[in-house]
Amino acid sequence: MTRKKKNGTPRDPTPDRRDEPENAPPDEPRREGAPAEAEDGLAAGQRECDELRDRLQRLAAEFSNYQKRSERRVRDERMEAVGDLVLDLLPAIDNFERAIEAAEATPDFDAFLEGVRLVHDQLLAALKKHGVTPIHAAERPFDPEHHEAVAHLPSDEHPNGHVMEEMLRGYRFGERTLRASRVAVSSGKPQAETPDQTEADETGAGSADATDPE
């Protein structure tokens, strides 16, 4: 039975919402699974970080091993190259020793000189086999890349800027200069003395004689 108000009007069963705000948002459902999802994300990120750290550690170890292998390979190659050069030089040393023994037993300058020349040729041949060749500088234009000038002298026979004399032979390894040749370089023809200079020299000499107290 419907309850009536005192004035006889039936009462509206709908609750009174006049006091509620007009644009109130509806009640949101509770997200009970949010903390679990966050924990799962953190765990996945931690696993990814661990995998990256493991990969970096493996790469660092592999790079360290590569460096050690490279250094060992370079060292072995250098030792092998030096060993090959020494083996090629040993016959020349043997001939040096034979020449010395022969000279001590029977002094013969011509034979000793011939032996020394033979050893010299053997040494040059051994160096050439390994790419080391002498630098020929005499009678050639001065080249600062391969020559080292230790003197500049006037010359009637050699043009200006040409090597007059090779004082110490240089050597190159392939295209690289191992030791530059030490040379004397021509500064051109000597300047002729003019008559005025000759007269001045003679006058100076006479003045010196005149003032000599002795």
Side-chain angles (χ1 to χ4, degrees):
M1 183 176 180
T2 304
R3 297 180 59 186
K4 296 182 180 180
K5 294 183 180 182
K6 293 180 179 182
N7 55 3
T9 305
R11 188 174 182 178
D12 188 358
T14 305
D16 190 0
R17 298 181 179 271
R18 289 176 297 176
D19 296 334
E20 296 181 0
E22 297 180 358
N23 298 324
D27 296 338
E28 296 182 359
R30 296 181 60 188
R31 299 181 61 184
E32 297 180 355
E37 293 177 359
E39 292 179 359
D40 293 342
L42 290 176
Q46 186 63 41
R47 286 194 300 270
E48 185 176 359
C49 289
D50 294 340
E51 292 176 358
L52 290 175
R53 183 173 60 252
D54 293 341
R55 290 179 60 186
L56 289 175
Q57 290 176 348
R58 287 195 299 270
L59 289 175
E62 291 176 0
F63 182 72
S64 177
N65 294 332
Y66 169 77
Q67 283 184 316
K68 294 178 180 178
R69 290 194 303 269
S70 299
E71 293 174 357
R72 184 167 55 251
R73 183 173 62 253
V74 171
R75 184 172 59 252
D76 294 343
E77 291 176 354
R78 183 183 297 114
M79 292 292 294
E80 184 178 356
V82 172
D84 292 341
L85 176 60
V86 171
L87 287 176
D88 291 331
L89 293 177
L90 289 179
I93 296 176
D94 295 337
N95 286 332
F96 253 131
E97 294 175 350
R98 294 190 187 100
I100 293 173
E101 292 175 357
E104 291 175 346
T106 56
D108 185 348
F109 178 77
D110 293 336
F112 181 76
L113 178 60
E114 186 63 27
V116 170
R117 286 175 175 170
L118 174 63
V119 173
H120 179 260
D121 293 340
Q122 282 185 310
L123 289 173
L124 290 180
L127 292 176
K128 183 177 180 180
K129 180 179 178 181
H130 292 271
V132 179
T133 55
I135 298 174
H136 300 287
E139 307 292 336
R140 299 189 179 186
F142 177 77
D143 184 355
E145 184 176 356
H146 304 299
H147 305 153
E148 178 184 353
V150 296
H152 289 80
L153 303 173
S155 173
D156 290 327
E157 301 177 357
H158 301 86
N160 183 22
H162 280 61
V163 175
M164 295 174 51
E165 181 182 358
E166 184 181 63
M167 300 178 177
L168 183 65
R169 177 163 294 182
Y171 289 86
R172 63 162 60 96
F173 179 58
E175 297 299 326
R176 175 189 174 190
T177 299
L178 293 177
R179 185 181 72 183
S181 299
R182 295 183 180 179
V183 298
V185 183
S186 170
S187 58
K189 294 183 179 181
Q191 295 181 356
E193 294 184 352
T194 61
D196 294 339
Q197 291 177 335
T198 304
E199 183 179 355
D201 294 340
E202 292 176 353
T203 303
S207 300
D209 294 340
T211 57
D212 191 348
E214 297 180 357

